[in-house]
Amino acid sequence: MADRKIILSEDDFRDPPPAGPAPSGLGGQLPPITQSSPLQVPVTPGGGQQAAAGRIATTGSVSPLVDPRTSFLIAAAVGVLLGWGVTQILGVGQATFFANKAASDRSAAIWVGVIGVLYGATLLSFDRAVAGAWDAVAKRVATAAIPLLIVGYVAGYAANALYLQILQSASATLTSDNDIRLYLARAAGWAVFGLGIGVTIGLVDRSKSRAINGAIGGALGGAAGGIVFQFAAANLHTSDSVSRLLGLAGVGFLIAVATRVVETARREAWVRVLSGGMAGKEFILYHAITRIGASSDCEIFLLKDPGVAKLHAQVDDRSGRRTLTAASGAPVYVNGTSIASHALRSGDQVQIGNTVLGYSERAIAPAPAGAFPGAR
């Protein structure tokens, strides 16, 4: 049995078939699958959040690099430091004198463009980097680099042009760098930056919902960050490089926080790794077909479990009804019972290899009596 090789294709999924064409690129030879027995997983009645909390407590501390409460902040910090550090080393956008306004606008555009690439690419690929999937990191960065550069360039150019226009047209009435018009100019420019970052990340993930979440959160966080950026520039008596770092930190953190808040508020279903090598990691189910496996191309990737096949199972979302289907020859247990196909319910705990996932979905309030014609 140990020498047996399993060939997995789309046709190996049992009834019901996927709605629409399934994503490609995961076919091919799989490593042997560990035929592990189901773990003794206690299921807490009344919802996935309670069950998840109980299970997490038994698996030890969760790494802040994967904990959904901290990982996005760490990713933002790394992205900000990369953007600031690289532009400092290269001297991008640091000239204090320009021959004309157009040259100043271009310099600011290039500066923000470089930051956009480094910051956005870090947010996009941070979880893969933490898991050691460097091939996936390179693929995602390569896909997003040009769009991120364009987004940053446009945002930087527009913000600088607006800022200088205000300085020029209102020079007689500006009393200080704390004039509200300057704050609004910064807020507008960084809002465009944050919106573009969020949309790009969603598009690379091929998810309309994530793009919308990113646009909302990025625009709100970017606008708030622009206010912080102007405050740092106007009131903190430090060097230009330190002032920029503090301003970028405000922009980066607020974009990350606002996006996370929007994602949490608008998510409909998600899973959290309750035990295994990636304990604490959370995945929001954005796609009509969510693949689960050891490949970093999967939407739910379990890279630290030798008992997980490259494509082990998938979740089909049909108008909010989500069905978990195991691949042929790949054992999957739900609440301790082996399944081939299972309609997921909030609170279900799914064992794949030696990893346990807790499934949760947002509760939908029942319609009040009399809300529909003919209701009593």
Side-chain angles (χ1 to χ4, degrees), residues 123-183:
L123 295 185
L124 181 64
S125 59
F126 183 77
D127 55 354
R128 266 72 174 182
V130 169
W134 296 106
D135 56 337
V137 171
K139 185 186 302 183
R140 293 165 79 82
V141 171
T143 303
I146 298 300
L148 290 171
L149 179 62
I150 294 173
V151 164
Y153 188 94
V154 170
Y157 193 98
N160 196 71
L162 178 61
Y163 191 84
L164 293 182
Q165 182 63 36
I166 291 174
L167 287 178
Q168 181 178 0
S169 61
S171 57
T173 58
L174 284 175
T175 58
S176 73
D177 289 338
N178 285 309
D179 189 284
I180 186 64
R181 288 168 289 184
L182 300 181
Y183 278 89

Side-chain angles (χ1 to χ4, degrees), residues 41-351:
V41 181
V43 180
T44 303
Q49 290 291 62
Q50 292 178 352
R55 184 63 186 176
I56 285 287
T58 67
T59 58
S61 59
V62 177
S63 169
L65 295 176
V66 298
D67 191 323
R69 297 168 298 182
T70 55
S71 58
F72 69 99
L73 294 174
I74 297 174
V78 173
V80 166
L81 288 173
L82 280 174
W84 176 80
V86 170
T87 54
Q88 284 292 120
I89 293 171
L90 298 179
V92 176
Q94 295 180 31
T96 57
F97 174 80
F98 298 95
N100 51 56
K101 180 177 179 297
S104 175
D105 293 342
R106 286 194 299 270
S107 177
I110 294 171
W111 179 66
V112 180
V114 174
I115 289 171
V117 172
L118 295 170
Y119 176 76
T122 301
L123 295 185
L124 181 64
S125 59
F126 183 77
D127 55 354
R128 266 72 174 182
V130 169
W134 296 106
D135 56 337
V137 171
K139 185 186 302 183
R140 293 165 79 82
V141 171
T143 303
I146 298 300
L148 290 171
L149 179 62
I150 294 173
V151 164
Y153 188 94
V154 170
Y157 193 98
N160 196 71
L162 178 61
Y163 191 84
L164 293 182
Q165 182 63 36
I166 291 174
L167 287 178
Q168 181 178 0
S169 61
S171 57
T173 58
L174 284 175
T175 58
S176 73
D177 289 338
N178 285 309
D179 189 284
I180 186 64
R181 288 168 289 184
L182 300 181
Y183 278 89
L184 292 176
R186 295 286 197 194
W190 286 109
V192 173
F193 174 84
L195 184 150
I197 294 290
V199 169
T200 301
I201 290 175
L203 294 178
V204 171
D205 267 349
R206 303 186 301 278
S207 170
K208 178 182 177 181
S209 295
R210 190 173 189 188
I212 293 173
N213 292 344
I216 298 171
L220 293 175
I227 293 173
V228 173
F229 192 98
Q230 178 62 22
F231 179 85
N235 299 284
L236 302 182
H237 303 294
T238 61
S239 64
D240 288 344
S241 62
V242 173
S243 176
R244 283 186 171 190
L245 174 59
L246 296 174
L248 285 176
V251 170
F253 276 97
L254 287 170
I255 288 176
V257 169
T259 301
R260 176 63 184 174
V261 169
V262 171
E263 287 180 333
T264 300
R266 299 185 74 243
R267 65 186 179 180
E268 296 181 356
W270 61 98
V271 299
R272 191 172 186 185
V273 182
L274 305 182
S275 67
M278 299 180 67
K281 174 67 178 173
E282 184 178 278
F283 299 91
I284 297 176
L285 275 60
Y286 284 114
H287 301 80
I289 298 176
T290 300
R291 301 164 295 179
I292 307 173
S295 169
S296 57
D297 287 331
C298 289
E299 286 73 33
I300 298 177
F301 54 93
L302 307 173
L303 307 183
K304 299 182 179 181
D305 188 338
V308 177
K310 288 183 179 179
L311 179 57
H312 202 108
Q314 70 182 40
V315 177
D316 298 303
D317 183 353
R318 298 183 177 182
S319 302
R321 294 187 175 183
R322 298 171 184 85
T323 301
L324 172 68
T325 305
S328 178
V332 176
Y333 301 90
V334 177
N335 303 327
T337 301
S338 178
I339 63 99
S341 182
H342 174 80
L344 288 167
R345 296 181 298 272
S346 191
D348 282 345
Q349 295 192 349
V350 180
Q351 181 188 341

Side-chain angles (χ1 to χ4, degrees), residues 6-13 26-28 30 311 314 327-328:
I6 300 172
I7 306 300
L8 183 63
S9 68
E10 304 288 345
D11 296 332
D12 288 319
F13 286 95
L26 289 181
L30 300 180
L311 179 57
Q314 70 182 40
S328 178

